[in-house]
């Protein structure tokens, strides 16, 4: 029986589509922010502190209002999308690559290599992720780049575990045996036979991990372990404006909604991809 | 079972040793001299060297680690650079507040999560299923600090129904109070005040575990409802609620139990965020303030304490899991 193409299965999955649409909106905002933002996201103007959004004050020049030093919140939220998406992509690419490599080697080699690698990862997982990330940023010094490094390190065990489990499953299959019988080297078997067959769960993990990465990095920024306040990073924007929540509550809503919607988008898309790519889950809710 | 318990205990000790080594090496890479940090930037070199000798910082790294490990085994983590008080004393003073918050968040998450998950599975595809799954999806998607801030914005600043932070009002600022403390003292006013202060932090901290537990309960229960023994129970004419709660849910609870244990770890990590948002005087907020102050002994002691707590809880859950499911013992 001919299998339904991936895109057609995707179109039949409303939740995955909603997630993809939310992410497309933020990706578009991020792209547009390279060439256009209504105002300069970093420009301070103390004459227009805490201006109300146009929805609350029709005379306002600012669609989403201004922050405590008069910077345009819409422009900062758009520039923030650029930062957050970059953060998410870089973290999952780095953590995914290192984690998958470690997991694949551990699963394929077995024996003491597997034991050693897995025990090291177990130790990393024995600490709640955010705590380990906080310790790492403390060591490296607070900055967005160091927050990203911390979240990357914390995320590695997750990808390694997924990849190891998949490698163990795939390596006992007949086509791997066949490759070995034909004299293929371990490296060739790993790269050509095993890795491509482990892609589906890894794609799902990467999609779900993107949301978590953005969330955790923004969390570190919120705790004051990210970049300096002028950088339009969503977590930092919330932390800066929370002090004025009584008099200017509207200033925290855009970054807050952006983080939540982006994470929701990645979660919906990840869940959808799991349903679509995993043959065991097809047809189940 | 004894062999299994001993094996798991051994694994816990090895993990704990690994965490202590990781933590020691990591914190010793922090730029700056801890002795200078304790004495202040204006301290002269002689005084710094003297303190370094006193603290053993002039000794080789392996010797420092040996002493750190021996002290940590006695729960002696040295003195905080910021407050000059023993770290263990600071931890114990704040631990009841964190324990109270995490326990309340866990009870909130487990009770509501099981209920929502069971109702969703029983009414699969219906409005209730959609509603509860939307709540759980929102729970895992909204960052903990965003949810906390939204709740403060709505219930504390907007509606003014609940306080926006702290463990009690100024009128009830009695040392060692809290929910249990005030109850033991028979002070109902203080109890009510403590309970009201707990609501928003509990909901914030419990939201993610609630979402995960309800999703897990739903999928596990759906699987159990398709089993032959459920069909047999239904064929015997048992009431649907009896089939659901007495037969299917009991079997579906095993994976939920494991997840619940792991979620404790999340709660301990999440407590750093929640406590900082709500100015909750617990271990998490103290740890965060120690990080900002680069208080080395406090960070080491605090993180090791949380790791020990987390691993102990996971161990207890594993043992419970093995006690209810003999297959786990056999596999191990």
């Amino acid at each position: 029986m001919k299998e339904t193409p991936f895109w057609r299965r995707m179109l039949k999955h409303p939740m995955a589509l909603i997630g993809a649409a939310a992410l497309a909106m933020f990706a578009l905002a991020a792209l547009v922010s390279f060439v256009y933002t209504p105002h300069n996201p970093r420009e301070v103007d103390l004459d227009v502190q805490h201006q109300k959004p146009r929805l609350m004050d029709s005379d306002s020049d600012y669609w989403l209002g201004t922050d405590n030093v008069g910077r345009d919140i819409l422009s900062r939220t758009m520039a923030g999308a650029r930062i957050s998406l970059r953060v998410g992509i870089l973290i999952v690419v780095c953590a995914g690559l290192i984690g998958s490599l470690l997991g694949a080697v551990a699963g394929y080699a077995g024996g003491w290599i597997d034991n050693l690698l897995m025990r090291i990862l177990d130790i990393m997982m024995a600490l709640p992720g955010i705590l380990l990330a906080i310790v790492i940023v403390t060591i490296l010094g607070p900055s967005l780049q160091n927050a990203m490094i911390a979240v990357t390190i914390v995320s590695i065990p997750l990808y390694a575990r997924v990849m190891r489990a998949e490698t163990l499953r795939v390596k006992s299959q007949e086509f791997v045996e066949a490759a070995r019988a034909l004299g293929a080297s371990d490296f060739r078997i790993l790269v050509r036979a095993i890795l491509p067959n482990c892609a589906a769960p890894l794609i799902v993990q990467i999609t779900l991990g993107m949301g978590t990465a953005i969330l955790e990095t923004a969390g570190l920024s919120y705790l004051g372990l990210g970049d300096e306040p002028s950088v339009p990073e969503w977590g930092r924007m919330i932390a800066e404006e929370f002090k004025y929540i009584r008099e200017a509550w509207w200033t925290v809503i855009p970054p807050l909604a952006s983080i939540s919607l982006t994470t929701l988008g990645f979660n919906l898309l990840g869940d959808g991809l799991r349903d679509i790519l995993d043959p065991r889950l097809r047809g189940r809710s | 079972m004894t062999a299994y318990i001993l094996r798991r205990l051994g694994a816990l000790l090895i993990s704990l040793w690994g965490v202590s080594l990781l933590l020691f090496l990591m914190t010793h890479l922090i730029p700056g001299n801890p002795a200078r940090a304790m004495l202040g930037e204006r301290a002269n070199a002689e005084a710094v060297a003297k303190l370094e000798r006193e603290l053993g910082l002039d000794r080789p790294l392996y010797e420092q680690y040996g002493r750190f490990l021996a002290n940590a085994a006695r729960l002696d983590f040295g003195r905080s650079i910021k407050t000059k008080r023993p770290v263990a004393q600071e931890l114990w003073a704040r631990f009841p507040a964190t324990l109270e918050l995490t326990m309340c968040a866990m009870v909130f998450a487990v009770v509501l999560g099981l209920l929502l998950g069971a109702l969703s599975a029983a009414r699969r595809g219906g409005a209730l299923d959609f509603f509860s799954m939307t709540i759980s999806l929102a729970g895992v998607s909204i960052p903990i600090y965003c949810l906390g801030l939204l709740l403060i914005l709505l219930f504390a600043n907007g509606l003014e129904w609940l306080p926006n932070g702290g463990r009690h009002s100024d009128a009830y600022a009695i040392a060692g109070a809290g929910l249990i403390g005030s109850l033991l003292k028979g002070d109902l006013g203080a109890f009510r005040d403590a309970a009201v202060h707990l609501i928003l932090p509990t909901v914030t901290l419990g939201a993610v575990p609630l979402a995960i537990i309800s999703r897990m309960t739903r999928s596990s229960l759906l699987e159990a409802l398709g089993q032959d023994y459920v069909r047999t129970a239904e064929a015997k004419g048992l009431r649907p609620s009896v089939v659901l709660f007495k037969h299917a849910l009991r079997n579906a609870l095993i994976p939920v139990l494991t997840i619940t244990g792991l979620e404790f770890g999340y709660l301990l990590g999440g407590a750093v965020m929640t406590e900082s948002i709500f100015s909750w005087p617990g271990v998490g907020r103290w740890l965060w303030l120690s990080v900002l102050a680069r208080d080395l002994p406090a960070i080491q002691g605090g993180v090791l304490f949380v790791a020990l707590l987390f691993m102990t809880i996971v161990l207890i859950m594993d043992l419970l899991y093995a006690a209810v499911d003999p297959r786990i013992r056999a596999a191990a």
Side-chain angles (χ1 to χ4, degrees):
Chain A
M1 196 175 76
K2 200 182 163 198
E3 196 170 292
T4 323
F6 168 79
W7 61 269
R8 200 169 273 179
R9 275 183 273 149
M10 179 89 178
L11 284 177
K12 281 184 184 164
H13 204 295
M15 286 304 184
L17 282 181
I18 293 172
L23 293 176
M25 187 180 80
F26 283 103
L28 188 69
L31 285 175
V32 170
S33 77
F34 276 108
V35 286
Y36 170 77
T37 48
H39 298 266
N40 183 343
R42 290 177 185 238
E43 193 179 288
V44 171
D45 185 354
L46 295 176
D47 292 336
V48 289
Q49 283 170 291
H50 284 156
Q51 288 275 308
K52 285 184 177 165
R54 200 169 281 185
L55 210 63
M56 292 165 72
D57 175 8
S58 54
D59 293 336
S60 176
D61 285 338
Y62 302 90
W63 281 101
L64 297 179
T66 59
D67 66 7
N68 63 318
V69 286
R71 291 173 299 209
D72 177 35
I73 291 172
L74 174 61
S75 306
R76 287 178 72 72
T77 308
M78 286 171 73
R82 199 166 69 206
I83 294 175
S84 287
L85 290 180
R86 196 189 67 205
V87 161
I89 292 168
L90 278 175
I91 289 173
V92 292
V93 166
C94 294
L97 273 177
I98 301 170
S100 315
L101 195 70
L102 288 176
V105 169
Y108 186 72
W112 68 269
I113 297 178
D114 182 26
N115 253 326
L116 182 73
L117 285 174
M118 284 303 113
R119 289 302 80 76
I120 293 172
L121 296 177
D122 277 352
I123 288 167
M124 284 173 74
M125 287 180 97
L127 279 171
I130 190 80
L131 268 191
L132 186 57
I134 286 174
V135 174
I136 296 169
V137 181
T138 313
I139 292 164
L140 300 175
S143 77
L144 186 63
Q145 191 187 327
N146 291 342
M148 284 163 64
I149 294 173
V151 177
T152 303
I153 295 173
V154 169
S155 313
I156 288 172
L158 207 64
Y159 295 98
R161 290 211 152 265
V162 171
M163 196 60 186
R164 179 179 173 269
E166 278 305 296
T167 309
L168 285 175
R169 184 182 64 81
V170 173
K171 88 168 182 182
S172 58
Q173 297 202 351
E174 282 170 359
F175 62 88
V176 177
E177 293 286 323
R180 196 172 291 129
L182 285 169
S185 67
D186 284 341
F187 180 76
R188 192 179 164 83
I189 293 174
L190 207 57
V191 173
R192 298 297 296 271
I194 293 181
L195 288 181
N197 283 289
C198 300
L202 205 62
I203 290 170
V204 173
Q205 190 55 55
I206 280 175
T207 316
L208 292 169
M210 200 100 82
T212 315
I214 292 174
L215 224 149
E216 285 183 351
T217 314
L220 289 174
S221 283
Y222 173 80
L223 289 175
L225 299 171
D227 257 337
E228 30 114 19
S230 72
V231 177
E233 201 278 326
W234 290 338
R236 188 73 201 212
M237 283 168 74
I238 296 172
E240 286 298 310
E241 286 308 311
F242 186 62
K243 291 174 257 181
Y244 310 100
I245 202 159
R246 275 189 182 273
E247 60 263 40
W249 56 268
W250 63 86
T251 54
V252 291
I253 301 293
L256 215 141
S258 301
I259 297 181
S260 304
L261 283 176
T262 316
T263 320
L264 184 68
F266 279 117
N267 281 343
L268 287 173
L269 187 62
D271 276 358
L273 285 176
R274 181 165 30 212
D275 291 351
I276 294 163
L277 295 171
D278 189 341
R280 288 165 299 186
L281 292 175
R282 270 176 221 162
R284 271 171 58 177
S285 64
Chain B
M1 186 71 186
T2 316
Y4 178 73
I5 294 173
L6 288 175
R7 234 186 350 254
R8 292 292 292 114
L9 268 175
L12 179 133
L13 287 176
I14 293 170
S15 293
L16 207 57
W17 168 76
V19 169
S20 75
L21 183 65
L22 184 77
L23 205 60
F24 177 81
L25 290 176
M26 279 166 67
T27 43
H28 274 74
L29 295 174
I30 292 182
N33 184 332
R36 183 164 287 283
M38 281 171 100
L39 292 171
E41 284 306 313
R42 290 183 182 181
N44 61 37
E46 250 176 67
V48 172
K50 186 168 173 270
L51 188 63
E52 270 186 348
R53 269 197 306 281
E54 276 173 28
L55 293 172
L57 294 171
D58 58 337
R59 310 301 304 161
L61 212 56
Y62 68 86
E63 210 178 302
Q64 287 186 47
Y65 176 64
R67 193 188 300 184
F68 166 72
L69 201 61
N71 289 339
R74 296 195 304 267
L75 292 180
D76 174 4
F77 303 113
R79 281 177 184 272
S80 156
I81 293 173
K82 205 173 66 180
T83 62
K84 311 278 188 288
R85 288 176 62 198
V87 170
Q89 206 178 317
E90 298 260 15
L91 279 169
W92 283 120
R94 287 163 177 84
F95 182 55
T98 299
L99 188 69
E100 184 177 275
L101 179 58
T102 44
M103 290 311 285
C104 284
M106 203 67 216
V107 170
F108 166 76
V110 170
V111 172
L112 216 60
L114 282 177
L115 197 70
L116 279 179
L119 290 175
S120 290
R123 301 267 185 276
R124 185 184 172 183
L128 193 69
D129 185 19
F130 181 76
F131 172 72
S132 66
M133 284 306 106
T134 308
I135 285 185
S136 70
L137 197 61
V140 286
S141 302
I142 297 178
I144 196 164
Y145 48 94
C146 288
L147 179 65
L149 298 181
L150 277 175
L151 291 175
I152 290 178
L153 202 62
L154 188 64
F155 293 103
N157 291 355
L159 298 167
E160 296 186 0
W161 287 353
L162 295 165
N164 61 5
R167 202 178 174 200
H168 41 62
S169 313
D170 291 341
Y172 295 102
I174 325 151
L179 211 58
I180 308 289
S182 53
L183 200 62
L184 289 176
K185 281 177 190 156
D187 188 345
L188 282 181
F191 178 78
R192 195 184 156 276
D193 181 66
V196 165
H197 277 82
L198 252 171
I199 295 174
L200 292 185
T202 298
V203 174
T204 305
L205 188 57
V208 173
L210 161 72
I212 292 169
I213 290 171
S214 70
R215 278 158 73 109
M216 190 75 193
T217 308
R218 179 181 180 270
S219 64
S220 183
L221 198 56
L222 280 177
E223 204 176 313
L225 285 171
Q227 302 283 318
D228 287 345
Y229 67 84
V230 170
R231 208 172 307 136
T232 311
E234 282 170 346
K236 274 162 62 184
L238 291 177
R239 277 203 312 273
S241 60
V242 174
V243 175
L244 182 69
F245 289 105
K246 201 175 167 194
H247 294 264
L249 189 61
R250 274 172 77 168
N251 279 287
L253 275 183
I254 294 174
V256 177
L257 196 67
T258 320
I259 284 286
T260 306
L262 291 174
E263 283 312 303
F264 253 113
Y266 168 81
L267 286 183
L268 293 169
V272 178
M273 264 332 165
T274 313
E275 288 181 4
S276 66
I277 295 167
F278 289 97
S279 307
W280 189 262
V283 174
R285 183 166 184 266
W286 174 78
L287 201 53
W288 173 54
L289 294 174
S290 305
V291 164
L292 292 183
R294 295 203 155 200
D295 190 339
L296 187 74
I299 299 170
Q300 275 179 340
V303 173
L304 209 57
F305 180 77
V306 173
L308 173 67
L309 216 60
F310 174 45
M311 284 189 253
T312 311
I313 292 163
V314 171
L315 175 73
I316 293 170
M317 296 314 275
D318 272 1
L319 295 180
L320 276 178
Y321 194 20
V324 295
D325 191 346
R327 285 170 301 184
I328 305 292
R329 292 199 297 271

